[in-house]
Each structure stands twice: as C-alpha cells, then as structure tokens.
Amino acid sequence: MNEKKTTTQNSARPRRRPPSRKTPSRKNPSRSGGNHRPARKNARRRRNGIARKPRSFTNPALKHRMATPDGKTTPIPPITDENTVRIIPLGGVEEVGKNMTAIETKDDILIFDAGFQFVSGESDAPGVNYILPSTQYLEENKDKIRGLIITHGHLDHIGGIPFIIERIGNPPIYTRYLTSLMILKRQEEFPHLDPVDMHVIEPGKRVKIGNTYIKPFPVTHSIPDSMGISVETKHGNIVISGDLKLEHDGTEPSDREKKVWGELGQDNNLLFISDSTNSERSGFSVPEQRVHDTIEEIISTVKGRLIVGTFASQFERMIRIIMICQTLGKKVAVEGRSMKTNLEIAERSGLMKVDPGTIIPIQEIENYPSDRIVILSTGAQGEEFAALMRFATGRHKFVSLTERDTIMLSSSVIPGNELSVQKLKDNLYRKGVKLVHYRTSDVHSTGHGNSGELVWIREQIKPKFVMPAYGYHSMIRSQAYAHIENGFPKENVIISDNGMVIDITNGTDLFIHKEKVPSEIMVVDGFTVGEKQEVVLRDRQSLAADGIFVIIATVNPKTGKLRKSPDVISRGFVYLRENQQLLSEARVLIKKTVEQATARTHPIDLDSVKDQLTDVVSGFLLQKTNKTPMVIPVLIGI
C-alpha cells in the first residue's frame, strides 16, 4: 500500500486507553444506562482527595448524547456473491451539502465523504446547528466498514466526521495531505474523541482497503488536493467524481485534464457518480485563470484601500491574492478565524511561502498608506457577525469604511443567503464605497462544472451507467437530461434519492430495491447529536410564529376555587400592557373554566383541569387575535 500514515494526538492530554472489547458499554455509557465504574472506586478516590475531571462542553456535540434507533432497518438482502456491487447514497442527492455515499461489496463497505449541511436562517429546524446524513444503516453494518475516503476539504464533505466517526466504529480515514491537515485541525475542537487513524494517499497509486482496491486521481476544484476515486470491482470500476470542474480555455480542456480523464477512460468503467451542483448551466464555466487575471488587474490599479470578501475555503484564490500583493509590495491583513486557520494550514502544507512582513495584524493598517493595504475578510455571504458585515455596519474596532475604499466580493451567493447578501451590499453602499462583485466583473468562478464539462468527462471515461449526485433534484435531473441529449442511453441513467439501494450485478444488470435504508436526517442540536425530534422542532416553530402564553393560578384543593386572580405571562404573543381588555377577559375565562372543571370532582385532578384550560384558552386567543400561541397552564394546589 502506497500511503503515509499519521495519527492525531492531543499534546495536552495523553491518549486514552482503548476500552476492552468485553466491555463496550464503557465507551458510550449513554447506550447502556450509565457509567459502570464501581462505586467503591469512586469512594476511594474521594477519600484520597482525587476528583474526577469534569468533561468539557465548550463545543457543540461534545456531550455526544447519540439517539439510538428504535429498531432495525427495513431488511435489505445482504450481498452474498462477488458479482454484485451496491451503491447507497446516504446524503447529498436531494440537497447541496451533507454528502455521503456508501459502496458495498460482499466483504467490504467503503464510505465516501462525511459532510454536514449548514442551517440557514429560513430553515424549518430552528435551534439546530448542523444537519447530518443518517448513519443507521452504517451503524448496523459497521463490522463491514473498512474505511472512510474523503475527496476534499470542504465542510460539506468533512464537516460531519467529528459527529459520526464514533457511531460507525472509528474506521481509518483515507485522503490527500491538505485535506488530512484540515480534518486533524478540526478534530482538535473535539478533544473527547479518540484520535483518528489517518492515511495520506496520492493520485495514481492503488490502495487496498479491506479486499477492495481504490485509485485516487486529481480533479480541479476550488480547493487544492481535491480528488476523485475509482473503485475497482469484479465487473468494472465505479468512478466517483467528488466536486469538480474542468481546467479549460473556452471549451477546450487543458492537456492535464485530457491526460487524467483519458487514462481513466482506458479502464473498464461500470458507473460514473458525478457532481451536479452547477449542471443547470449549459456549456463550460468561467475559467479560474480569468478570475485570477481580473483580480490581479484590480489589485494593481485600485485607488485607495481594497477589501476582498471571499470563502475561507478558496485556498488558491487567497494564496494568489497574497502572492500578487507580495509582488506589488502591498500589505495584507487577514480578518476571520476560519480564514486565518486555513492560511496557517496552507503555509504548513507548503502551498504558500510568504515573505516576512507581507501579512500584518489588522491593528497595524493605519501605519501604511491606504493604497498599500489589502484586507482579506470572511463574511461575503452577509453573516451578521462576520468581519465584512462588521465593517459595513461600523462595528469593527480597526476598520472604518470611507468613499476611497473598494470592496470586492469574490464569491457567488449561496442559495438561501440572498437576503443577507443584499443587506450586506446595501450597508456597504451606504458607506459610499465602490463595490465589485461577480455580476459586474469576473471576480469569481464556480468550483463546479457546467453541464458541458460533465458531458465531456463522461465521454472520456465511457461508463456503462451514470448516477448524477451532489445537488438538488433539479440539478440531478438537469445533468441526466444533458447526458441523454448527448446520446447516452436513458435506461442507464440512475436518478437517486437519499437512502436508495442500487445493485449492479455481473456488470450489466441494474436493480433498484423498493426498500430504502433510513435516510431521516440527524441533527447537531447544542450538545446533542441524534435523529430529528419532530415534537421539539414543531414547538420551536410554534414559539417563533406565535409566542407563548403562560397561566399561573393557585387552586384551593378542597373547594376548587381560585385563591386569587391568575397571573399571565406573554412572550412573543401580544404586549399585555397594550391589551388590557384581552387580559381581563382571559382572566375571567380562566377562573370560570377552572372552577367549572373542579365543581364535581373529588379529589381534584389538576392534570385534567390543565388539559381543559389549554383547549379553552387556545380557542379564545385564536378567536380574539387569529394567533395560536403555545398555552402553558401552571396550576398549584394550595
């Protein structure tokens, strides 16, 4: 096996001793009802003055209370022969994000990517931090899992690792060097987890994982060290693209692209799983070189200070900007934690070598003429607390915008962020700055190929079947139509959903099972990782929409009479000070309802009274306000 092997270690803490196979419950006490440490040992530690070290809860999901499935999945027949290969998209084929695909043979399961999805402000999951793909099928079959292969370092492909790695048995991770550094850096935020077993692999070199060989190959994307994977099976290879575009001039791919894809085309390729994110656009995407040329021209000719807002994951673009500034003798200040982290990783990996003094602290920008200053900043999506929005609203300690400043947004708008980006642009324009963005100049190019590029790639590798992936259903359909319109057999295009089980037997027979594996999303909610809890989310949606109406009343348990007028608390419903008439009527109704409900009951059942009071008051408030706040009665028997 051609690989480098590295293992994370937390320098501040010794590695924990692995739990015994005979006592798996100690690894996750929450699954077995509690901690099984003998009570006498705890008592001895207390006598000796040794306190148990409390667990840190400084990061979401550190507590890792993981919901266990209620039962087994719908039975899917196991693979019993070497002629069948199974493909299961677990995430990323009904959305953009939380990418995860499993390839299963008779002996092995290989997992490709483990991303999460950010929760937008308009999400139907208020309070949730991240959305993860379901791992229930993998948990039930983790004895067959041989490895987790990561195609590149974006969070929609690596973000889920800390939250799911324990659930699926801590399999070894295979990826390229830069991506490995990004994963290891992120794992430092989860010190309670065991170190990951990291294997660095290189393009063009076959790697054996379990009984299966894979061959990574380089692809062009918006982050270095991106790769696709060719998985060798008995009747042909499964080619997984990862996120990609083509390096090209007009509609002519570069010699490097022709070489990579031409060599892959010499293999017997059974299935092509392909990126669909930008497939709704025809032809070829804007070449990245054109973006670099445009940015260089802007940096060279701008009058005054230049502030560049872009994604922290745009390694090559950030590096190119810094190198241009270094050549021109300009100073670069970097704002944004994720951007500083990724530039540190870029230097550590050898992607970037910066002369001392080129990058300066943000507080030193006033020491130089404004036309020698370039600020690299996060927040191009209009995030409220990111650096760029703080610049725009005058809330930054060291940067105050003036009419001589130029702002360049070197990014596109992620779907769902349109309003926040518009708010950012409006705030920037109020400062009188000059604004350059991708709609007015070639300052951004997508990292995902248009449909013309995807068709060209498919024609090079000549697969038997095609499965569009990585995108919304409309994107998947758009790629499918592009292949069909260019002569690919319609019956050999697989339109997949999350959880679909796809078997290919003897390299010719395609069978899609009627049953699916569980595909209900998991969520990271504060310190909890588990399946989405519909009741909790419905309550949050109700509170966000109509607020809460709390009734507090003291009841004489002997007579059922209220001892005093009930107290009412309203939050997010109506302002009680301006609705005294409503409040008076509500108090009369509450008193009447409680006393009627207790008139003929001995002893008094306060729980039953609460249910009746909830129904009556909810109906009253709906009639008076056309709102349905959450009504919570608190009855105290005194």
Side-chain angles (χ1 to χ4, degrees), residues 119-188:
V119 180
S120 68
E122 299 178 4
S123 168
D124 61 353
V128 169
N129 302 94
Y130 311 115
I131 298 175
L132 306 171
S134 173
T135 58
Q136 185 173 333
Y137 180 80
L138 298 176
E139 291 174 55
E140 294 173 5
N141 294 276
K142 61 183 169 185
D143 58 313
K144 286 185 67 177
I145 297 174
R146 307 294 178 236
L148 170 61
I149 299 97
I150 304 296
T151 59
H152 66 281
H154 284 159
L155 287 173
D156 58 337
H157 291 256
I158 70 170
I161 293 175
F163 306 110
I164 70 170
I165 193 74
E166 284 188 342
R167 300 177 72 109
I168 60 177
N170 290 294
I173 299 175
Y174 298 82
T175 191
R176 297 186 69 183
Y177 182 56
L178 176 66
T179 309
S180 74
L181 294 181
M182 298 182 72
I183 294 171
L184 298 179
K185 185 68 175 178
R186 184 166 169 76
Q187 290 298 111
E188 292 176 5

Side-chain angles (χ1 to χ4, degrees), residues 13-200:
R13 299 176 51 180
R15 180 172 178 174
R16 294 183 300 181
R17 182 179 178 182
S20 167
R21 292 182 179 272
K22 295 181 181 180
T23 57
S25 60
R26 291 187 182 182
K27 185 170 184 179
N28 190 354
S30 64
R31 291 197 172 194
S32 55
N35 196 314
H36 290 258
R37 186 186 297 273
R40 60 180 179 273
K41 185 173 182 179
N42 282 336
R44 185 169 64 252
R45 289 170 65 92
R46 287 192 295 270
R47 285 196 301 271
N48 295 333
I50 303 173
R52 291 182 63 186
K53 185 178 180 180
R55 201 172 189 179
S56 172
F57 294 150
T58 59
N59 200 288
L62 285 190
K63 196 168 182 179
H64 240 250
R65 296 196 301 268
M66 298 184 290
T68 57
D70 294 333
K72 291 290 184 179
T73 62
T74 302
I76 303 292
I79 300 175
T80 58
D81 62 86
E82 297 181 353
N83 296 313
T84 299
V85 59
R86 177 169 291 168
I87 302 95
I88 307 175
L90 294 167
V93 294
E94 296 180 42
E95 65 270 310
V96 173
K98 69 180 183 70
N99 297 289
M100 178 183 281
T101 302
I103 305 294
E104 183 175 1
T105 62
K106 177 176 176 290
D107 300 313
D108 303 328
I109 292 178
L110 303 183
I111 306 167
F112 295 86
D113 294 320
F116 65 32
Q117 186 178 53
F118 286 104
V119 180
S120 68
E122 299 178 4
S123 168
D124 61 353
V128 169
N129 302 94
Y130 311 115
I131 298 175
L132 306 171
S134 173
T135 58
Q136 185 173 333
Y137 180 80
L138 298 176
E139 291 174 55
E140 294 173 5
N141 294 276
K142 61 183 169 185
D143 58 313
K144 286 185 67 177
I145 297 174
R146 307 294 178 236
L148 170 61
I149 299 97
I150 304 296
T151 59
H152 66 281
H154 284 159
L155 287 173
D156 58 337
H157 291 256
I158 70 170
I161 293 175
F163 306 110
I164 70 170
I165 193 74
E166 284 188 342
R167 300 177 72 109
I168 60 177
N170 290 294
I173 299 175
Y174 298 82
T175 191
R176 297 186 69 183
Y177 182 56
L178 176 66
T179 309
S180 74
L181 294 181
M182 298 182 72
I183 294 171
L184 298 179
K185 185 68 175 178
R186 184 166 169 76
Q187 290 298 111
E188 292 176 5
E189 301 177 13
F190 299 84
H192 69 295
L193 294 178
D194 288 333
V196 297
D197 182 11
M198 183 69 70
H199 298 252
V200 175

